Amino acid sequence: MGKIIAIANQKGGVGKTTTSINLAASLAALEYRSLVVDADPQANSTSGLGFNPREVQKSIYDCMINDLDVRQVVKPSNFEHLDLIPSHIDLVGAEVEMINIPNREERMRESLRNIKDDYDFVLVDCSPSLGLVTVNALTAADSVLIPVQCEFFALEGLGKLLNTVKIIQSRLNPALKIEGILLTMYDARLKLSNQVVEDVNLHFKDLVFRTMIPRNIRLSESPSYGVPALAHDADSKGAISYLNLAKEILENNQNHK
């Protein structure tokens, strides 16, 4: 039975897309069937896996708005065990179009229900907002993974996101859990980076992943080649960190079964 993990934080630039692509690729490299759902109108996960968003005919938008069968939208990537449900700029209008749809917060859950068990892990790359599409992702998900950048305002907005998670747990998805908080863009040389790590661990203790994602050139470069860091440079610190994160998630899920 597949597990849906929403990768969410309403702050932009914290590494949601980098995490979606590279964690999925790492799980796939470990031979777990993985699916990335690009639920961000910017479609960065789509282009980061080698697809041109302008050429995408059908996307998650069509599933949520027009009830298109999700299997018609899945695209196999160039990597074994890794598929994509692409995004499209049309998703920007989805919030408005969904206003009059009954059970509008559950459209993504309904769409993914038919395909969930074809995969071991489904990772939903959320947009940097707490709008209706992100609410859909959190309602569809079994858990939420929260990337937090090791920067000055790291904890700002985290309270708001956790509050949204609580509301969704109480109203729409009681089973939603927090997969973990992932520290990204870590630079061991910076006092500030280390301070953020200390603060986040102090506040959130067991919720914080042991694995931290460093600032890494290869991670930044690989999307422009349309490949995950593992395919761009498997020995890079970034690629190895995401592989370690995948192993940590597998270990945690083993313990929770």
Side-chain angles (χ1 to χ4, degrees):
M1 175 138 165
K3 180 170 194 181
I4 300 178
I5 303 176
I7 297 176
N9 188 332
Q10 75 274 25
K11 276 177 76 99
V14 296
K16 286 186 292 293
T17 298
T18 303
T19 299
S20 303
I21 291 172
N22 289 291
L23 176 55
S26 299
L27 288 163
L30 296 168
E31 298 191 353
Y32 287 85
R33 292 161 307 164
S34 304
L35 172 69
V36 173
V37 179
D38 192 347
D40 182 353
Q42 293 173 58
N44 291 336
S45 277
T46 302
S47 55
L49 283 173
F51 295 91
N52 182 344
R54 290 190 194 86
E55 291 170 6
V56 167
Q57 300 291 314
K58 300 285 181 225
S59 70
I60 187 66
Y61 165 87
D62 297 282
C63 304
M64 291 169 72
I65 302 292
N66 304 323
D67 289 323
L68 185 69
D69 180 350
V70 73
R71 286 200 175 89
Q72 295 182 27
V73 182
V74 173
K75 291 188 171 301
S77 76
N78 291 322
F79 309 95
E80 205 177 354
H81 307 304
L82 178 57
D83 291 346
L84 170 76
I85 292 180
S87 182
H88 191 273
I89 190 70
D90 285 351
L91 200 57
V92 167
E95 311 257 325
V96 178
E97 291 179 56
M98 286 197 296
I99 283 174
N100 296 320
I101 295 179
N103 303 328
R104 60 179 183 258
E105 298 88 356
E106 298 179 18
R107 303 296 291 175
M108 192 181 293
R109 179 196 277 169
E110 290 303 317
S111 294
L112 296 179
R113 181 170 282 160
N114 299 335
I115 204 174
K116 183 178 178 180
D117 294 339
D118 296 354
Y119 295 94
D120 297 302
F121 289 93
V122 176
L123 304 183
V124 185
D125 182 16
C126 298
S127 65
S129 81
L130 292 177
L132 192 50
V133 177
T134 299
V135 167
N136 261 270
L138 294 172
T139 304
D142 297 299
S143 65
V144 54
L145 186 158
I146 305 165
V148 172
Q149 193 178 352
C150 293
E151 294 282 330
F152 189 64
F153 292 115
L155 293 174
E156 196 182 77
L158 202 50
K160 196 174 175 189
L161 175 62
L162 293 170
N163 203 33
T164 302
V165 168
K166 277 200 182 106
I167 292 168
I168 283 168
Q169 285 167 330
S170 67
R171 297 184 194 167
L172 294 162
N173 184 2
L176 182 65
K177 295 198 165 41
I178 292 178
E179 189 71 34
I181 292 171
L182 175 68
L183 290 157
T184 63
M185 303 179 204
Y186 173 67
D187 186 338
R189 298 164 305 178
L190 296 181
K191 191 175 170 189
L192 176 63
S193 262
N194 291 302
Q195 185 63 53
V196 170
V197 171
E198 206 176 299
D199 288 352
V200 172
N201 278 298
L202 188 69
H203 278 83
F204 299 104
K205 302 184 173 61
D206 296 346
L207 288 178
V208 187
F209 287 111
R210 294 188 306 274
T211 307
M212 294 190 286
I213 308 300
R215 276 195 180 281
N216 181 251
I217 290 290
R218 294 289 182 259
L219 276 181
S220 317
E221 281 176 352
S222 57
S224 60
Y225 294 94
V227 295
L230 261 181
H232 183 45
D233 181 353
D235 296 326
S236 65
K237 276 187 179 163
I240 290 164
S241 299
Y242 274 110
L243 211 44
N244 289 336
L245 176 65
K247 289 172 185 168
E248 188 176 345
I249 286 174
L250 290 167
E251 184 187 311
N252 292 347
N253 282 286
Q254 207 58 44
N255 296 342
H256 292 159
K257 271 182 183 169

